Amino acid sequence: MTTVTGTHVTDLYPSRGATEVTVPRQDPVVWGAPDAPGPFEALDLQSFERDGFAAVDQLLTDDEVAVYKRELDRLVGDPAIRADDRSIVEPRTKEIRSVFEVHRISEVFARLVRDERVVGRARQLLGSDVYVHQSRINVKPGFGASGFYWHSDFETWHAEDGLPRMRTVSVSIALTENHDTNGGLMIMPGSHKTFLGCAGATPKDNYKQSLQMQDAGTPSDEALTEMASAYGIKLFTGRAGSATWFDCNCMHGSGDNITPFPRSNVFIVFNSVENAAVEPFAAPVRRPEFIGARDFTPVR
């Protein structure tokens, strides 16, 4: 157990110990009522319950995509943003890989977070008001942008940020076309029903390394082979403006982009206000607030 301000909080999902462990999911997948009003239809919620994700073919119009893409390009090209701790660069090319907390840096992306097509779906899935646990833009220019290795976000957010329960959902909104060749998102459908606790202690300030190339919190080859054999792998493609919503415990990753075709997206993580972060369950210190928020103010 972990202790927070004198209160004992049971750790339902142990990780970062001497060995890998698997734990059946202890939480609902869709927390909201099946008939709760919102942008998702009942069949979408059923699909999310079963697979751990739901795709929206056109969340944004072409004109809206153009606005957000211009803002992404402005942020990536701004020397002040590049020098900010919230910007993560590629280890090899030194080009910007991600910019975090974009809903605070940019009013353009703040409006996207508040858009009912976006936050309304989060409320439907999580059955409560929500706040932004993390936001970022991911930039994968052509010719060598590196991928994100297989992982469960919840494993990291639980171990290093202190999210107690699986009541968190992410949305990846494409700002460029997702081909089947330019490093698109891959998810193992159904993997959200099993928690994989990774082996190995969390180094101090692990985030500085993990945001460039993941090490701690990485599943073993044996575990990944077993999960892929059981669940298969779904690769997401789609036009700019499409979106993929996925559960916090989905096993997912993306490959390098060695094509000439860039792949950029905005990534927003919503957490239930009833699942506010406590102290990390398996890390010596909290990660910075621009990665794991401690402001639990609901999105309005």
Side-chain angles (χ1 to χ4, degrees):
M1 294 194 294
T2 187
T3 303
V4 184
T5 60
T7 302
H8 293 286
V9 179
T10 301
D11 185 356
L12 298 176
Y13 301 105
S15 192
R16 311 288 173 97
T19 60
E20 260 181 346
V21 296
T22 56
V23 178
R25 187 186 184 105
Q26 305 294 302
D27 293 306
V29 177
V30 176
W31 291 73
D35 58 350
F40 273 137
E41 297 182 358
L43 288 177
D44 299 320
L45 298 177
Q46 292 172 20
S47 173
F48 192 93
E49 172 75 33
R50 180 186 67 243
D51 297 327
F53 57 80
V56 178
D57 291 336
Q58 187 176 14
L59 182 73
L60 304 179
T61 67
D62 292 344
D63 288 345
E64 289 172 320
V65 168
V67 169
Y68 295 119
K69 183 63 167 60
R70 282 197 299 270
E71 182 68 355
L72 179 147
D73 291 340
R74 183 189 72 80
L75 293 172
V76 171
D78 186 338
I81 296 295
R82 182 183 179 86
D84 195 292
D85 286 344
R86 290 172 286 193
S87 291
I88 310 300
V89 299
E90 290 280 355
R92 184 176 63 83
T93 66
K94 304 305 179 185
E95 295 297 320
I96 286 184
R97 173 183 175 90
S98 301
V99 179
F100 281 80
E101 216 171 37
V102 289
H103 70 296
R104 295 191 182 279
I105 294 174
S106 162
E107 177 54 32
V108 173
F109 285 115
R111 289 198 301 270
L112 179 61
V113 166
R114 297 192 298 266
D115 190 312
E116 189 59 25
R117 293 170 297 177
V118 177
V119 69
R121 284 181 164 90
R123 294 191 190 108
Q124 269 185 290
L125 291 168
L126 301 182
S128 69
D129 280 332
V130 297
Y131 70 93
V132 176
H133 176 69
Q134 183 186 106
S135 72
R136 67 178 188 261
I137 48 175
N138 293 324
V139 184
K140 269 193 177 181
F143 299 121
S146 55
F148 293 84
Y149 197 67
W150 290 106
H151 63 286
S152 154
D153 287 330
F154 179 76
E155 193 278 340
T156 297
W157 298 337
H158 182 71
E160 300 186 38
D161 296 338
L163 295 192
R165 311 294 293 265
M166 292 182 184
R167 200 170 180 179
T168 314
V169 66
S170 301
V171 59
S172 175
I173 305 172
L175 299 182
T176 54
E177 186 164 355
N178 284 264
H179 303 283
D180 57 4
T181 54
N182 64 342
L185 174 68
M186 297 180 288
I187 294 178
M188 297 185 188
S191 59
H192 62 303
K193 297 291 185 71
T194 301
F195 175 74
L196 179 64
C198 298
T202 308
K204 185 179 180 182
D205 290 340
N206 176 57
Y207 76 94
K208 294 180 180 179
Q209 169 68 24
S210 67
L211 296 178
Q212 290 183 325
M213 188 171 295
Q214 190 136 347
D215 187 11
T218 301
S220 68
D221 290 352
E222 293 78 13
L224 289 171
T225 300
E226 184 175 334
M227 293 184 80
S229 298
Y231 302 120
I233 296 173
K234 164 74 173 175
L235 170 66
F236 291 87
T237 59
R239 58 178 292 180
S242 61
T244 304
W245 291 84
F246 59 102
D247 180 82
C248 59
N249 191 46
C250 282
M251 189 61 66
H252 68 287
S254 63
D256 296 351
N257 183 12
I258 61 172
T259 76
F261 310 114
R263 176 180 174 265
S264 299
N265 69 299
V266 55
F267 184 81
I268 306 164
V269 180
F270 293 100
N271 188 40
S272 168
V273 295
E274 298 172 13
N275 190 45
V278 293
E279 292 303 312
F281 286 84
V285 294
R286 300 175 182 177
R287 297 195 299 176
E289 290 196 28
F290 67 80
I291 299 174
R294 295 281 160 170
D295 179 352
F296 310 133
T297 304
V299 176
R300 299 293 188 210

